[in-house]
Amino acid sequence: MPSNAAVTPSTLSRLDLPWQINWDIHTCTLCGRCTAVCPVNAIELGVFRKRNMTTPFFAEKTRPRSDFSIYYGIRQRTDPGYACVGCSMCNLVCPNNSIEARRSDTFDMLRFHRDRAGQPRTRGGRRNSPDSVLDQIKFIRISMLTDPALDAGRHEFEMRTLIGRILSPAKAINARREKGWIPPVREVYPLLIGGMSFGALSPNMWEGLQMGVAYLNEELNMPVRMCTGEGGCPPRLLRSRFLKYVILQIASGYFGWDEIIHAIPEMKEDPCAVEIKYGQGAKPGDGGLLQWHKVNRLIAAIRGVPPGVSLPSPPTHQTKYSIEEAVAKMIQSMSMAWGFRVPVYPKISASSTSLSVLNNLTRNPYASGLAIDGEDGGTGAAYNVSMNHMGHPVASNIRDCYLNLVKLGMQNELPLIAGGGTGKNGNLAANAAALIMLGASAVQIGKYIMQASAGCLGTEGDRCNICNIGRCPKGITSQDPRLYRRLDPEKVAERVVDVYVAFDTELKKIVAPLGRSTSLPIGMSDALGIAHKSAAERLHIKYVV
Amino acid sequence: MCRLFSLTSREPLSPIKAIEALEMMKEGHDGSGIGLFLSDLSGPFSNFRDMPILSGIFTQSGLRRQEDYMTGQGFLPSYRMILDVSKDPPPGTPRREIYLIQVYEPPERWKELEQDQREQLMTGTRLTLRHMGAEKKDMVIFSFWPDVIMIKEVGDPMEIAGYLRLDREELQARRIMAQGRQNTNYGINLYACHPFFIQGMSTMTNGENTAFVPIKEYLSTQGVVGYEGYQSDSEVFTHILHFTIKQLGLGIEHYKHIITPLQDSDLLIHADRDFLTSLKQSCRRLIIDGPNCVIGCLPDKTMFMVQDRKKLRPGIVGGKPGLYAFSSESCGLDAVIPDRDKTKDFQPMHLDTAIVAPDCQEVRICRQTQPLPLQH
């Protein structure tokens, strides 16, 4: 910075930024790949002027000299609008490993300046906290000598779950006898890919996920299901046999539902289920958000909106005035659209009001489940404050709901689907198994599958997290073909399959030593322990140290 | 690992027979307890077929409280057998005061009640007495049902049999179930001793039900009188059997479809696939897990054995027309029915339910892959 430049309140130094670019002049070839790849233009070509002092040796007759030279290199911009996000794509593309982004070990000042023009920070990703109570839960009931542990590699395991309203045994037998209506129930794999919309995700990412899911179903006999999120569904998928692997989501913006409703007469298969999104764990009480950067012509066409405008869904469904009537009507209408052949369930953000929702649903014969998304859930775009400070952890919420179903004797009738931060530290199978044993019938993942199947760089250490502006450097959450062509859908599909097959083995490695194989151990709380007394009491599991 | 032995016979037999079989299998249990279920009784009890029999252990004051309560309810004491103990109990067995088997004449209003109501009343009475006993620790109640006697005690089975003189002539039955207990994860509690009983049916298990907690939580909230206690993870097997037969009106052929349902590939080609799929889904919380061999007796005196889905525990059935036995080990069978045709011994596998009807004519094997009997 020139010495006479103005110092404004938001003038920051490199050290005031959370991420600093270290660049090595000795190995840099000045190829320019790093500046080209940087998604936020945090680095640029730097033309540096350097003063060289030449002092003569002793007894030499020449005078000391001062001259100037120029060298070229990389300059990190310090304007808050161009702060490095730490994605490290520069390092990824550098042929000589000459550049890297380093997380500052000092308190950054940037956080005080992310509200330019009165716009609070928006971002993608998860709550910026690596804490996870799920990671602290251990599986302690190991079959040892009183009963044999099972062999995860050789024994048969039935690791399926049910989505849909399950009648009580007496009602089921009666309904068959009297040829009455039996609510639709789907037998699925307990790890679902949660709602990530076409729009939030790039076409290549979506296609890759769908191909992976189709392969798992058709080649590996794993009934994995994927939710569309709120953004409609590509018309060809709606009319294909693969629709049965898809959970269609309807949310408060109703984006894409014109297309879906019109496709119903041409559908070859019913969708797996319909999820009505009332809330999202990452930003509870706030609606979906697709910022204008990502609304190109394709997305606009699928969603039935004009291109280039931001699409904020309202925080609530406009028709919703009471849970007893409006929600019940919505569930009923969606059921009716497919002739009561498709399970319809609401998804809410975990909240201290979840129990009231659940209690209402137990009395609604068309409600096919309840998906609860905890505070650690991810999102493509939300206000930073919503992501970091709003919401309820999923563990105690799912446990309370399960125990409430137990109290009502309905724990097999209304499946609970848990989500939000599962596998946030990489422990997917352990987290999912813990949620299942706390009472969830199935677990939803979103961010994890982006990280594992497409190499998403976002972390809870606030790395990258720019999904909202469509500049995803991996092409996962971008609608810019120059970016999403980086992502090969075939490779994404391969990774989805890898993730599921590995998860399946790990899940068996957890349940086999617990002596469980005949059914998914939903609510097997005697297997769980935690070295935290109040957490143990709260979750009604064992306190172990 | 516990050892199980049960007999079903056309002629009455002494329970000592079953205990002799347990003695043969002694390597497999630590003698921490014995449980007996006797039904289709002979001797003096055969005169009171329709009158409920109370089996339990009492202190003097407990017995008085029990008598007061029963009198208040209108039950009149009829025939009584006290397993009098004169000598010191064998090592490991606590000294108790009264081992009571008491036949009751039901109250007058009983005649006007439907069968269901009578059954509810008997179960309710048993539970009230059990709760009263738990409160003051002066009585332990095992059963209160017509034509059923249950005896349970902690200690070595053979020594207890001698101590309680279980070979007495008036104590004979055509259906006898006995378990030699190997104490594992629960304290030695008489209510944790098999067999377990509810409304005329009883089961005993050799195994460990790893799905115990979710099943217990499910059963105990179904609003059925008697689904409580659960001192042992095996008690749920009895209650699931009761749920299958009494609550759902299904037969013993369906029991295995509830506790260990078929996998999808087998269901798809099953003659009753729609029904079984619906049963598998709606009874999902009753699916058992872990190694378990279950032997049970139904209210109609049919005896059966089923195994867990992986058949992880031993179990064998054999005998001759008129006398069949279910045993953990073949040496148990040898001790009681040495003259049977051993080539016809059968070890039920992961899909089988071995059933012997009260006529004791043959062992019927019902495989899960076979079509179910027609529903009425």
Side-chain angles (χ1 to χ4, degrees), chain B residues 39-54:
Chain B
S39 185
D40 217 343
L41 304 166
S42 72
F45 293 101
S46 58
N47 302 325
F48 309 99
R49 283 244 175 242
D50 300 325
M51 286 156 63
I53 307 172
L54 181 72

Side-chain angles (χ1 to χ4, degrees), chain A residues 63 67 214 256 323 329 480 489-490 505 538:
Chain A
R63 290 172 60 81
D67 51 19
I323 184 167
K329 273 180 200 160
D480 184 341
E490 303 274 353
T505 303
R538 183 69 184 78

Side-chain angles (χ1 to χ4, degrees), chain B residues 4-60:
Chain B
L4 312 174
F5 191 83
S6 75
L7 279 165
T8 176
S9 157
R10 259 181 248 153
E11 298 307 319
L13 293 170
S14 165
I16 201 76
K17 283 274 181 202
I19 292 167
E20 279 166 9
L22 290 181
E23 183 71 9
M24 279 304 280
M25 298 188 274
K26 199 168 176 182
E27 276 176 26
H29 61 92
D30 64 358
S32 59
I34 166 90
L36 278 173
F37 165 88
L38 311 176
S39 185
D40 217 343
L41 304 166
S42 72
F45 293 101
S46 58
N47 302 325
F48 309 99
R49 283 244 175 242
D50 300 325
M51 286 156 63
I53 307 172
L54 181 72
S55 308
I57 303 177
F58 299 82
T59 64
Q60 290 292 352

Side-chain angles (χ1 to χ4, degrees), chain A residues 376-496:
Chain A
D376 285 326
T379 181
Y383 284 91
N384 187 51
V385 67
S386 303
M387 293 175 80
N388 280 352
H389 303 285
M390 304 293 292
H392 193 298
V394 71
S396 61
N397 216 240
I398 215 79
R399 188 74 181 135
D400 287 352
C401 286
Y402 178 76
L403 290 175
N404 191 57
L405 287 177
V406 169
K407 212 188 312 170
L408 298 171
M410 295 180 76
Q411 61 268 51
N412 192 41
E413 297 178 28
L414 199 75
L416 297 171
I417 304 166
T422 320
K424 70 191 275 195
N425 293 322
N427 309 312
L428 180 63
N431 289 178
L435 281 169
I436 288 168
M437 288 178 212
L438 288 172
S441 285
V443 174
Q444 281 185 333
I445 50 165
K447 179 79 170 174
Y448 186 94
I449 203 75
M450 287 165 53
Q451 290 171 318
S453 72
C456 164
L457 300 167
T459 69
E460 287 62 67
D462 206 10
R463 182 176 170 193
C464 200
N465 289 348
I466 50 167
C467 335
N468 55 326
I469 53 168
R471 304 298 305 273
C472 174
K474 289 295 190 84
I476 304 165
T477 61
S478 171
Q479 300 305 334
D480 184 341
R482 291 169 300 178
L483 292 175
Y484 67 67
R485 72 180 175 203
R486 291 174 188 170
L487 199 62
D488 180 349
E490 303 274 353
K491 299 281 179 215
V492 173
E494 277 177 34
R495 288 291 302 143
V496 169

Side-chain angles (χ1 to χ4, degrees), chain A residues 37-60:
Chain A
V37 81
C38 180
V40 290
N41 299 325
I43 46 176
E44 58 188 0
L45 172 70
V47 181
F48 300 95
R49 181 169 181 254
K50 191 177 176 193
R51 182 179 178 191
N52 299 308
M53 301 295 294
T54 316
T55 36
F57 283 111
F58 177 70
E60 241 181 81

Side-chain angles (χ1 to χ4, degrees), chain B residues 257 262-277 351 367-372:
Chain B
H257 283 288
L262 287 175
Q263 291 213 328
D264 286 357
S265 48
D266 289 330
L267 271 183
L268 273 176
I269 51 172
H270 198 285
D272 301 293
R273 60 184 163 273
D274 291 344
F275 173 70
L276 288 178
T277 305
L351 296 171
R367 281 179 75 83
Q368 274 183 283
T369 43
Q370 290 168 347
L372 288 165

